Amino acid sequence: MRVEVINLDKHFKKVHAVDSLGFTIEPGRVTGFLGPNGSGKSTTMRLMLGLDSGSGTTLFDGKPLRDHDSVTRVVGAHLDAKFFHPKRTAYSHLRMLGAEAGVSKERVYEVLELVGLDSVAKKRPGGFSLGMGQRLGLAGAMLADPQVLMLDEPANGLDPQSIQWMRDFLKHYASLGRSVLVSSHLLSEMQLLADDLVVIAKGKLIAAEPMNEFLARATGGAVRVRTTDARKLAEALQAQGLTLVATGEDEMRVPNVTTDRVGHIAFASGVPILELSSETASLESVFLQLTEGQEQYKIGGAE
C-alpha cells in the first residue's frame, strides 16, 4: 500500500514543529525516518495517523485513513513503548486492540509467541522492562496484519539479538508488499535496515530518496589501494594530477577518484595491485553533514 504525505503542517504556539512536509512511502520497502532530536518526527507520525490536529493530508492507497473500513487492517502503529494499561494483562491488552478488526484469540497468542512474550501473556505489563514493552507494542502494531507498519524508535531498550530479529522481521514484512516506516537514532542499524530514507530537521524535509542515493551525497570519498611497489604507483598517480596519503608501507588512500581510474593507472604503469577498494560512506557521516547546525541543544557553549 502506497502512503502519500502531503503538506503536513503543525504549530505549537511559536514553534513550527512540522513545516509543509511531504514524502511518499512505497510498498515493498522499509523507509527509515531520521532527524535530530526535536526535528518533528514523532509529531509527523501522529499527524499522519490523525492523532494530532494540524493541516495537510496523508493518503493510504489514495484515501484518508478515516475512509477505510478497518483502520487497524490498513495501518499498525507503535509510537510509545508504554502505551498500555499497566493493570491489564498483555493478552487482554492485545484482545482490546484487536476488537476493531475482529482479531481472534489464536492470532493474539500467535503474535505474542512471535515477539517472545507468550510466557508472560497473563502478566500485567506495568512491570515489564522497556524492551518487553517495545515487543508488546510491536505485537499490537502487527496484530491485525496491516498493510502499513509505522514504528517510532522501536529498538529502544532492545538487546542486540532482539534488534537483529526486528531488522529481519521488518525486512521480511516489507518483502510481502507491505509498507514500513520506522524512525530510529541507531544510524548503523538503520543503514542495514532501510531501503529508502526520509530525513527532516526543524520540521522541514532535508531528503527523501533511496539509501544508496543518500549515501552518494557524502563528500570526501576515496579509494584505498595496496600494492607491492608503493613508490612507483605513487609517482604514476601524481603524474595524473592525483593526490594521495600513505596509510602504510604498501598502502595508500587516494581521494576524489574511482577504483576504475586507479586500476587503469596501475595497469598502465605495470604495478601489481594486491587490494583495491572504495571507501563507503556511513549513514552517520552523511546524516551529520546534512543536518549540521539543526540540533535542539548546545555543545560546549555553541548552538
Side-chain angles (χ1 to χ4, degrees):
M1 179 177 288
R2 195 166 188 258
V3 182
E4 299 170 83
V5 176
I6 305 168
N7 291 326
L8 289 187
D9 207 272
K10 173 71 175 180
H11 285 81
F12 290 107
K13 296 183 179 179
K14 295 182 179 181
V15 177
H16 206 163
V18 179
D19 190 353
S20 302
L21 194 59
F23 55 88
T24 301
I25 306 167
E26 297 292 348
R29 300 175 71 81
V30 176
T31 299
F33 195 23
L34 305 180
N37 285 336
S39 61
K41 299 188 301 298
S42 296
T43 302
T44 297
M45 297 176 89
R46 292 181 61 82
L47 287 171
M48 292 172 65
L49 295 168
L51 300 176
D52 273 358
S53 60
S55 60
T57 306
T58 302
L59 303 179
F60 295 81
D61 201 19
K63 298 190 297 183
L65 192 56
R66 62 180 177 272
D67 291 346
H68 287 270
D69 294 333
S70 175
V71 169
T72 53
R73 292 197 182 278
V74 173
V75 58
H78 172 41
L79 307 184
D80 186 345
K82 295 294 185 179
F83 184 68
F84 46 71
H85 193 290
K87 294 187 177 180
R88 182 180 286 129
T89 67
Y91 169 81
S92 61
H93 170 73
L94 294 182
R95 285 287 281 167
M96 180 271 294
L97 290 181
E100 186 265 354
V103 173
S104 68
K105 63 180 181 180
E106 289 78 16
R107 174 61 178 169
V108 171
Y109 281 118
E110 179 184 339
V111 296
L112 282 170
E113 183 178 6
L114 187 61
V115 299
L117 294 178
D118 49 315
S119 63
V120 294
K122 296 302 177 68
K123 292 186 180 296
R124 296 172 179 178
F128 283 5
S129 66
L130 176 59
M132 293 172 71
Q134 292 282 28
R135 286 186 277 149
L136 182 59
L138 179 60
M142 72 172 81
L143 186 60
D145 200 24
Q147 293 298 308
V148 181
L149 276 181
M150 291 176 55
L151 311 174
D152 191 5
E153 300 286 353
N156 279 356
L158 297 185
D159 56 54
Q161 290 83 1
S162 296
I163 291 175
Q164 181 182 18
W165 172 85
M166 181 175 290
R167 181 204 315 150
D168 294 341
F169 171 80
L170 294 178
K171 290 175 78 71
H172 173 71
Y173 202 84
S175 73
L176 300 176
R178 315 293 175 80
S179 302
V180 177
L181 177 69
V182 55
S183 76
S184 179
H185 286 108
L186 302 178
L187 298 184
S188 58
E189 175 59 28
M190 188 63 79
Q191 188 165 357
L192 298 173
L193 171 64
D195 303 298
D196 301 319
L197 289 176
V198 172
V199 183
I200 66 174
K202 295 184 178 178
K204 295 183 178 181
L205 186 69
I206 300 295
E209 58 200 24
M211 175 71 77
N212 59 343
E213 293 183 15
F214 186 79
L215 295 180
R217 291 169 174 252
T219 59
V223 167
R224 288 193 176 275
V225 57
R226 191 163 62 89
T227 176
T228 58
D229 195 339
R231 176 179 292 183
K232 186 175 181 179
L233 178 59
E235 292 173 350
L237 293 170
Q238 290 168 339
Q240 296 295 319
L242 298 174
T243 59
L244 55 94
V245 178
T247 56
E249 290 185 4
D250 60 353
E251 184 179 84
M252 64 191 72
R253 181 178 183 271
V254 190
N256 304 314
V257 70
T258 65
T259 53
D260 286 355
R261 189 176 181 198
V262 173
H264 285 306
I265 293 172
F267 179 79
S269 304
V271 179
I273 294 296
L274 302 178
E275 185 177 347
L276 182 63
S277 62
S278 177
E279 286 187 345
T280 302
S282 70
L283 176 58
E284 178 179 353
S285 64
V286 185
F287 173 78
L288 292 175
Q289 285 176 24
L290 294 182
T291 60
E292 185 177 5
Q294 305 292 329
E295 305 88 354
Q296 298 294 321
Y297 52 82
K298 296 181 179 181
I299 299 177
E303 292 289 343

